[in-house]
Amino acid sequence: MGKNSKRSNSNSNSDVAQSTHPSFFIGSSVIPIINKLQDIFAPLGDIDDRFTGLRLPQVAVIGSQSSGKSSVLEALVGRDFLPRGCDICTRRPLVLQLEKRSAEIGNDSLEWGEFGHLPEKRFYDFSAIRREILAETEKEVGVNRGVSDKQIRLKICSPNVLNITLVDLPGITKVPVGDQPSDIEARIRDMIMSYIKQETSIILAVSPANADLANSDALQMAKQVDPTGTRTIGVITKLDIMDKGTNARSFLLGKVIPLRLGYIGVVNRSQEDINNNRPIREALAYEEQFFRDYHVYRGLSDRCGIPQLAKKLNQILEQHIRNVLPTLKTDLTSQLVAAEKELRAYGEALESKGERGAMLLNILTKYSEAFSSEVDGKSQAMTTKELSGGARIHHIFQSIFVKSLEEVDPCEDLSDEDIRIAIHNATGPRNALFVPEVPFEVLVRRQIARLLDPSLQCLRFVYDELIKISRACETVEMQRFSELRRRLEDVTARFLRDDVKPAERMITNLIDMEMDYINSSHPNFIGGTKAVDIAQNELKTMQVGRPQSDNDRVSSAGTSTTRTWGVTSLFGIRGSSVGNSSKRHAAEVVHDITLAPPVIQLKNPPLVLRPGETETEYQVEIIVTKLLITSYYDIVRRNIQDLVPKAIMHYLVNHAKRNLLGTFIEKLYRENLYEDLLREHDDVVIQRRTTAEMCNALRQAVETLDEFVADVSTLSSSDSMDALPNFSNLSSNSNSKSST
């Protein structure tokens, strides 16, 4: 361009600035609501960390190092305020909230900046804003050129800005420089992805025209999260310093990498302009003249220049916010409900002893009631997936204890030989004339004694279930007080252990009672006569199937000994087999001694002596003994199956239900224990305070949206700012003039 052209530009700087500055495209009605929500949430710090699923619409500015991001942002603001240099300038996300305020003629303090970490301090000197950004950055990451994802929040109030929130993210770098961390590239990319992956984010992908645009880092990252390009705006910077013979027309027309929101080309201030403090207004005028004079970009006026970028951002963000407002309201409401529920779980902070005492008594009462409800099957938290509480105790009684006893055969561990020896031992030095009662009583007592172990095991199983129930009864309030929870568990365990002792004694006494008195007069007892009849019939049945020789042997074995009484004499007087030979006089015997052979020496009896009779001896008696044992054991078993669960319920389960609260009050409800028992963990205190702040912020946000939505819904579709282009309209503009 010639001198006249330059002079013309210089003389018309103010006119150009007034006609092309972004402030002339302001007039939105919904963008300020997002700024207000940002103000509400700003005191809470990083919204993304505190509100899962809540993402406010914003514009994320991404680009490679030295791509011209800072120049674009400063051009939108109209002031120099960002750090500059040859290395990474943006090392922490800069949330830049631009707020339009009305112009006042003659007022020089119309523009100022205000940091989130210095809310009461206004910066009218924009150079001071730059210094504060640098100082705050170095405070967090030092001077080693590292990066941090902790935001710096800056609000700029001016009549020359858009009502919009932009997030300036660190520039993408490839190789660590100097003492930068070795993983600097990965850390920056991860940080960028955390912002642009959100569907509510508009991506402003900045790429320099003097680099390989087809391989732009910003466009490639945007494509990963926005493959269709529905929420990405491409910005091509430094068009005025492209190599001669080259231009970015094809990119601006979307022919190389299509984006539905299209591209905007801009001209940045050079480093010399920045060093010489060239005003941004002059740079905007130069940019406008550049696009007028450069014939390649003629016909692309809607795709060129900072003013067009501002207009596109305003229109897209305006419509984007309108689209997400209903969902945003739903998300805010859901988050508020969840936060209020969490806050209720933490409860109110306790200040006085009276409050502590009331809280402690309330917790002890609720815990005891929850315990009883679990046992009785009245818990509100009843599961449908498995047995729980009292149902498990019933299962232990009926399906484990009772069933196990029914499966026991009382004669399983008694062989015929065992019973035969018991009969021999019971007769002493005499031969048995009747079926002896002693073997039956000894043997049946031994079987009754076997019932003690499963009965005590049943008691232990129920005790374990009560411990599980007590742990499942933890109330919401108990989560606040770890010491109270520990002491409650300890007192409950001791209380239940103490209850086990009387139940154990009762069960032992029940078994001892059954063993101490064998009630042969019980109406359900089979009795001796019936047992003998059954035994004889069983023996006859056994003999029918034997060979004759075996029957003769059995008969011989039954009559060859001195026990010559038959089976029919059982429980009656037996006959004698002693003959007249025993009536010889002693004198005759003595007379025969002189004629007798040598003395017969007997063998010493062995240490372990077993009867020498055949296996057929006492067959009837053995069968009778087994019948008597089985009959009486079944009587005792039924008694134990009935009385042991009753003893456990009385001494353990129901006693716990009746007296657990009283024990808590006796052991824990003491004024000198209030402070220790109700001391909250530091994390709980912090979480309560944080959650309360969240609730307050969410309530304000919901109220703000409620007030605002009514106004938005009444806007006329004929209003100029309401006639916003759809995304498809914006993208179609890129194609409609492609032939220009």
Side-chain angles (χ1 to χ4, degrees), residues 163 244 355 457:
N163 282 318
K244 290 185 178 181
E355 290 177 342
Q457 281 183 341

Side-chain angles (χ1 to χ4, degrees), residues 88-92 133-148 152 179-181 184 187:
I88 301 176
C89 300
T90 304
R91 292 189 284 149
R92 290 174 57 181
I133 293 175
L134 284 171
E136 191 64 17
T137 299
E138 292 179 358
K139 183 187 300 183
E140 181 68 23
V141 299
V143 294
N144 66 345
R145 298 299 178 183
V147 295
S148 169
I152 297 176
D179 54 356
Q180 289 179 347
I184 188 73
R187 291 170 61 181

Side-chain angles (χ1 to χ4, degrees), residues 26 31-39 76-77 96-102 110-114 122 154-166:
I26 297 175
I31 292 177
I33 192 65
I34 299 302
N35 290 343
K36 191 169 184 179
L37 293 178
Q38 290 281 2
D39 286 341
L76 289 173
V77 174
L96 182 61
Q97 186 184 75
L98 306 181
E99 182 178 290
K100 175 180 169 54
R101 64 189 304 270
S102 60
L110 291 178
E111 297 178 298
W112 71 81
E114 186 176 310
R122 289 184 176 182
L154 172 63
K155 177 189 291 185
I156 292 181
C157 299
S158 169
N160 302 316
V161 296
L162 291 166
N163 282 318
I164 193 171
T165 296
L166 301 149

Side-chain angles (χ1 to χ4, degrees), residues 186-235:
R187 291 170 61 181
I188 291 175
R189 287 182 178 272
D190 290 343
M191 187 191 307
I192 292 173
M193 291 298 290
S194 70
Y195 282 85
I196 65 175
K197 69 181 180 182
Q198 307 303 330
E199 291 296 325
T200 53
S201 291
I202 298 295
I203 305 171
L204 196 66
V206 181
S207 306
N210 60 340
D212 185 2
L213 292 174
N215 295 312
S216 164
D217 291 327
L219 291 174
Q220 288 181 355
M221 290 194 69
K223 190 173 184 179
Q224 292 179 35
V225 297
D226 181 30
T228 59
T230 55
R231 55 187 181 89
T232 301
I233 303 173
V235 178

Side-chain angles (χ1 to χ4, degrees), residues 310-529:
K311 180 180 180 180
K312 182 181 283 285
L313 279 175
N314 180 271
Q315 292 177 331
I316 291 174
L317 190 59
E318 172 80 12
Q319 179 173 313
H320 184 56
I321 293 172
R322 288 178 182 274
N323 292 338
V324 303
L325 272 181
T327 303
L328 181 59
K329 171 67 182 302
T330 302
D331 291 343
L332 286 170
T333 303
S334 299
Q335 293 289 338
L336 177 58
V337 171
E340 288 178 337
K341 181 180 179 181
E342 182 181 348
L343 185 60
R344 286 193 298 271
Y346 293 127
E348 298 292 334
L350 304 176
E351 302 295 341
S352 66
K353 284 187 177 181
E355 290 177 342
R356 294 192 183 99
M359 172 63 75
L360 179 58
L361 184 59
N362 181 54
I363 291 175
L364 298 179
T365 302
K366 283 187 176 181
Y367 184 90
S368 302
E369 291 174 349
F371 182 88
S372 297
S373 297
E374 282 286 340
V375 173
D376 294 337
K378 299 177 181 179
S379 173
Q380 297 298 319
M382 181 185 300
T383 177
T384 59
K385 303 299 182 182
E386 60 179 349
L387 295 180
S388 63
R392 290 180 63 91
I393 295 175
H394 181 268
H395 179 83
I396 291 171
F397 286 153
Q398 301 303 319
S399 300
I400 297 179
F401 178 66
V402 171
K403 187 176 181 181
S404 297
L405 294 190
E406 288 178 346
E407 294 174 351
V408 174
D409 180 1
C411 297
E412 182 180 7
D413 62 336
L414 289 176
S415 66
D416 290 355
E417 182 68 13
D418 294 335
I419 298 175
R420 185 179 294 111
I421 292 175
I423 293 174
H424 274 289
N425 289 335
T427 60
R430 300 175 303 279
N431 198 25
L433 299 179
F434 305 99
V435 174
E437 295 181 5
V438 174
F440 158 68
E441 291 188 358
V442 170
L443 295 175
V444 79
R445 283 193 178 98
R446 191 169 76 176
Q447 298 306 312
I448 293 172
R450 294 177 61 197
L451 296 173
L452 179 60
D453 285 341
S455 299
L456 295 179
Q457 281 183 341
C458 181
L459 173 62
R460 175 57 58 178
F461 289 162
V462 174
Y463 166 79
D464 292 340
E465 287 302 320
L466 292 179
I467 291 295
K468 291 179 183 177
I469 290 173
S470 69
R471 291 172 180 168
C473 293
E474 181 177 300
T475 62
V476 175
E477 293 84 358
M478 285 176 59
Q479 298 175 5
R480 299 169 55 187
F481 312 113
S482 57
E483 178 62 18
L484 175 59
R485 182 169 60 241
R486 186 189 67 80
R487 293 288 294 275
L488 268 175
E489 291 176 356
D490 181 62
V491 171
T492 303
R494 288 176 180 271
F495 174 79
L496 293 176
R497 282 198 299 270
D498 291 342
D499 282 356
V500 165
K501 295 175 183 178
E504 192 175 81
R505 285 195 297 269
M506 184 61 188
I507 291 171
T508 303
N509 289 338
L510 288 174
I511 303 299
D512 289 344
M513 289 162 54
E514 296 289 355
M515 293 174 61
D516 278 351
Y517 179 63
I518 306 301
N519 182 17
S520 58
S521 299
H522 194 282
N524 294 334
F525 185 52
I526 190 173
T529 303

